[in-house]
Amino acid sequence: MERGETRPPEKRRRRRRLIFIVLAVLLLIIIVAVVLGLTVRQNKRTLKTTFIARCEEFKGTHQDLQYDCQKVWGAFEQAYVGLDPCDVPMEAYDPLMAAVPFKPECNRVNSAHHKTKIFWSKTKDVVHDFTEKRDCFYTVEETLLGSVLDGLTWCGKEGSSETFTTGCPGWNDCANNTVRSFWNRVSAAFADGACGDVTVMLNGSIATPFNNASVFASIEVKRFDFPRVKRLNVVLVTQENFVTNCTNASLKDLQKELDQGMTYNCKEVSEPQIQECSSNPEKPCGACW
């Protein structure tokens, strides 16, 4: 220090440092609060925007649908907003299903353009590649609600009026979580409308193609009532070195789940065969397996 300079007293330096720290903490709290508020609003806006856009797009390709997508969003949001995200039972989506009911499959006039339902478990990519290329089957993800919400995550929080897309429980975190209950409910309605011959694609590359914990086993099969559903056709999708076949023990369990009088059939079909058939519009869908 040069002659003539004075050093601030130690107390004054401590006080300044303390003031700076307090101001920095307050500024940080304000920034976090603003970011969280914007994030919550953005989450809801993003989900709602995606929901409405997908709904309108679906209506555009299905001219017979007259739904108001804003009202459908309202019925959807009503199911979970303000609730514990682990305490949203299937029944919470009943008003949504009433707002967007599935058309009954039975007694519909057969035509070349009439699609029938196909179910799946652990074969999502295969079955969707097939249904996108061939105009004979459709999955639950190709219905209005299924297509709108496929791949999305959402939940509410107890005591909050907001919609969240982060911090939501995962599929296996709790039984009655927001997303899982929706897919259980929409899958139940989808299965309730099945009629006649029903087809399901199961995975022949895993040890248990019919898993009791799957949506197909726990929800859909239980809705296949005879005589409304007369036959279940299992397409067991296999790879080159597949690990199971139609004699698999879990498929025996599947047969036991079916109503008495219902016919059961299982066929092992390689994935390349399905892919080749899906790319050949001249080949009837039934001939693919």
Side-chain angles (χ1 to χ4, degrees):
M1 178 179 292
E2 297 293 333
R3 189 182 300 273
E5 289 185 10
T6 59
R7 186 189 301 274
E10 190 64 30
K11 281 187 177 180
R12 190 180 304 166
R13 285 168 43 190
R14 285 204 199 99
R15 191 180 305 123
R16 286 177 179 173
R17 191 180 302 122
L18 181 60
I19 290 171
F20 286 143
I21 292 172
V22 170
L23 288 175
V25 170
L26 287 174
L27 182 61
L28 181 62
I29 290 173
I30 291 170
I31 291 172
V32 170
V34 170
V35 169
L36 285 176
L38 289 174
T39 300
V40 166
R41 286 195 291 274
Q42 184 64 30
N43 279 342
K44 181 175 181 179
R45 185 160 55 247
T46 300
L47 181 66
K48 183 175 181 179
T49 300
T50 301
F51 187 105
I52 299 296
R54 288 185 177 185
C55 179
E56 294 293 350
E57 181 182 0
F58 190 91
K59 284 176 58 183
T61 58
H62 297 76
Q63 300 295 332
D64 57 324
L65 296 181
Q66 302 298 320
Y67 297 117
D68 182 330
C69 291
Q70 291 284 348
K71 290 182 179 179
V72 176
W73 164 261
F76 164 70
E77 196 179 27
Q78 173 189 336
Y80 63 86
V81 165
L83 300 179
D84 181 331
C86 276
D87 192 20
V88 180
M90 284 174 55
E91 294 74 24
Y93 290 98
D94 283 353
L96 176 64
M97 301 311 304
V100 190
F102 286 120
K103 291 183 177 180
E105 194 79 18
C106 293
N107 303 320
R108 291 175 65 180
V109 177
N110 289 323
S111 71
H113 301 290
H114 173 59
K115 293 185 178 184
T116 56
K117 293 179 170 71
I118 188 169
F119 298 82
W120 60 270
S121 182
K122 301 294 185 183
T123 55
K124 184 176 183 179
D125 290 343
V126 179
V127 72
H128 284 156
D129 179 68
F130 182 81
T131 58
E132 284 172 11
K133 294 175 180 176
R134 300 301 303 272
D135 197 30
C136 44
F137 291 104
Y138 69 102
T139 66
V140 68
E141 292 82 12
E142 292 163 278
T143 63
L144 189 149
L145 292 177
S147 67
V148 165
L149 291 164
D150 189 25
L152 300 183
T153 298
W154 67 91
C155 66
K157 301 289 183 185
E158 202 167 7
S160 171
S161 61
E162 300 293 342
T163 290
F164 300 86
T165 57
T166 59
C168 300
W171 184 271
N172 292 316
D173 288 344
C174 46
N176 286 331
N177 72 69
T178 318
V179 174
R180 184 171 183 166
S181 288
F182 165 77
W183 286 110
N184 284 345
R185 183 64 186 88
V186 76
S187 295
F190 190 67
D192 283 340
C195 189
D197 283 9
V198 171
T199 301
V200 59
M201 277 193 187
L202 300 180
N203 194 332
S205 298
I206 57 178
T208 311
F210 180 70
N211 189 322
N212 288 329
S214 69
V215 174
F216 178 67
S218 63
I219 301 293
E220 292 169 332
V221 166
K222 298 182 185 301
R223 322 290 283 217
F224 295 162
D225 297 328
F226 182 81
R228 176 172 53 85
V229 175
K230 294 179 171 56
R231 179 186 182 91
L232 178 64
N233 297 310
V234 173
V235 177
L236 193 63
V237 183
T238 62
Q239 302 289 345
E240 185 176 349
N241 297 313
F242 58 96
V243 299
T244 190
N245 55 41
C246 285
T247 63
N248 183 270
S250 72
L251 297 179
K252 301 294 183 186
D253 294 335
L254 169 56
Q255 293 178 63
K256 294 175 184 176
E257 288 285 332
L258 302 180
D259 279 0
Q260 187 174 1
M262 195 182 302
T263 305
Y264 170 88
N265 180 61
C266 177
K267 188 170 184 180
E268 298 149 20
V269 186
S270 71
E271 185 172 339
Q273 179 181 335
I274 293 174
Q275 292 171 339
E276 186 277 331
C277 191
S278 65
S279 301
N280 184 0
E282 301 299 321
K283 194 170 186 178
C285 287
C288 292
W289 46 76

